Amino acid sequence: MHHLADGPYLADGLRLPTNGLDYTILAIYFAVVLGIGFAARASVRTSLDFFLSGRSLPAWVTGLAFVAANLGATEILGMAATGAQYGVAVVHWYWIGAIPAMVFLGLVMMPFYYGSKVRSVPEFLLQRFDRPAHLLSSVLFAFAAILIAGVNLYALSIVVEALLGWPQWVSIVVAGFFVLAYITVGGLSSAIYNEVLQFFVILAALIPLTVLGLKRVGGWDGLTGSLEKSHGSDFLSAWGGTGIGDANPLGANWLTIVLGLGFVLSFGYWTTNFAEVQRALSAKNLSAAKRTPLIAAFPKIFIVFVVMIPGLVAAVLVPKIGTAGSGLTYNDAIPLLMQELLPNGVLGIAVTGLLAAFMAGMAANVSSFNTVFTADIWAKYVVRDRDDTYYLRFGRIVTAVGVLASIGTAFLAASFSNIMGYLQTLFSFFNVPMFVVFIIGMFWKRASVKSGFWGLVAGTVAAMVNYFVVYKQGVIAIPTDQGANFVSAIVGFVAGAVVMVAVTLFTAPKPEAQLAGLVYGTRSPGMEEAPSEGDDAWYRRPALLGWGAVLLAAACYLPYSF
């Protein structure tokens, strides 16, 4: 084991032993990425092409891009950090915290999104409620996208710093400009085709790390044996110690896991997070759009193993990780293992995979930011009714602004020891209120025009008050940040729902004629699309894909539950 120098940064003790071969692999990858950007540029003629790839992509491409957009930096470094910190409980983020919501998005929500031809989630709220609800959700959304892009940029800089030994701020700035280059050139198509490539590069990086890590600690039995000694048996069980009032590593009980994570946080993320939904909206027809999240669900079920196992291995090989005074945060789990286990050449692929993951996550957020800012804020409230070329040019400028702003927020993310915890906090503030307004507006016709705006305000404020006052000031004792995020999500959801019902009782509903295609049970002309040629094959039926994914995820729980 290398001696790890104590210090505030990774790079002091954590220089990855790279050589010319590793850098060659990296250079080839970057050349391909920029090449894809320039190739995609040829197809960008209108703003619909730039923001939604002209709605032309096949389902397998958008499905893999859907997973890759979510396999960003935060996912890989953050979930491995969560594995090192909380143990096997990390599977909840996948099997209960992703699959049911992805299936719901494909089977129930996509017909509304695709059929109403909206370009973004706030645009749906404009059609269902009114302009104040639309403007507030657009602003919250743009703000959240920049904060999350900053998290990805910070994680990217950790790797560049460990690789080249550059200071953190230089790494953040250089990495930001590279992402800017390839999105500005090719728009969303370039981001999506790159994500499909990144999906395979990321797996090529994580699989050797998992295999070599298991080999080093004596296989699965060796790993579980040493963790049981050091961390106790609950560390290796998904549900162990989650009774209400019991102590467990996660600091959450089964009720907050199922409600906070499984329902509110996950449905909020997968169904209203435009960085994900945008991938499905760019599919070539309704049937492909419905299948996008369902195809993505299958790789998602198994990806947990290649992020969780490296985290668990790090907990064995680096027992000091995350303890005070060691200078090592949980975020360092993956870079530590790369330094320790991988031979040159494989190391080059792994570093390329991590950089690819960060760029995928950051590009997904920047491309959703430029769409919302251009289409929902600028074109509707600031400069109206200009020709399409103006908005296309403006979209490219806003992309640059978004990257510069996320360079700023990257320094904010640097102050958290587990970036996944920081991210979930942001989701409970921004995604949850949007999800409440969305779901009530979609399933309850009577919800009034004004209730959308006030529901958003109440949900956001309640979640923030719960986190900063109730949890941070110790009004109620919640053992961990993650436990607090689950509670904030539930509080935000309930507050938003209660306020919407109250406001609806005193204000006017929207005329029924204007709700076609926006409320469950109504139809709009665009939703009646018959399956395209070949889409009626049995293996392409959305219901089969969806329920198959849910049953498979439930079966995966069995070995970790008893």
Side-chain angles (χ1 to χ4, degrees), residues 50-51 146 149 176-188 191 362-363 365-374 391-407:
F50 186 72
F51 294 129
I146 293 299
F177 278 97
F178 192 82
V179 174
L180 178 63
Y182 88 79
I183 309 183
T184 314
V185 170
L188 187 69
M362 177 161 174
N365 279 293
V366 172
S367 59
S368 63
F369 166 78
N370 67 24
T371 306
V372 168
F373 196 88
T374 306
Y391 293 116
L392 178 61
R393 194 173 64 238
F394 184 79
R396 291 202 158 114
I397 296 167
V398 167
T399 307
V401 173
V403 171
L404 291 173
S406 48
I407 289 175

Side-chain angles (χ1 to χ4, degrees), residues 162-248:
L163 188 62
L164 304 172
W166 294 354
Q168 194 180 27
W169 69 271
V170 178
S171 317
I172 287 180
V173 173
V174 172
F177 278 97
F178 192 82
V179 174
L180 178 63
Y182 88 79
I183 309 183
T184 314
V185 170
L188 187 69
S189 288
S190 141
I192 284 188
Y193 281 115
N194 271 316
E195 277 159 16
V196 175
L197 171 68
Q198 283 156 348
F199 176 72
F200 293 108
V201 175
I202 292 164
L203 288 184
L206 289 176
I207 291 169
L209 202 58
T210 308
V211 174
L212 292 168
L214 275 176
K215 210 172 134 194
R216 169 65 70 87
V217 293
W220 181 250
D221 295 337
L223 175 66
T224 49
S226 35
L227 282 174
E228 214 156 297
K229 278 204 204 76
S230 57
H231 291 73
S233 61
D234 282 351
F235 200 72
L236 294 167
S237 139
W239 297 102
T242 58
I244 293 178
D246 295 354
N248 65 27

Side-chain angles (χ1 to χ4, degrees), residues 99-110 267 271 439 443:
I99 303 303
M102 288 165 85
V103 170
F104 182 80
L105 172 66
L107 296 181
V108 180
M109 308 277 278
M110 273 331 290
F267 276 69
T271 62
I439 210 82
F443 286 100

Side-chain angles (χ1 to χ4, degrees), residues 46 48 67 155 219 368 400 473 492 550:
T46 66
L48 186 71
V67 182
S368 63
Q473 307 301 319
V550 170

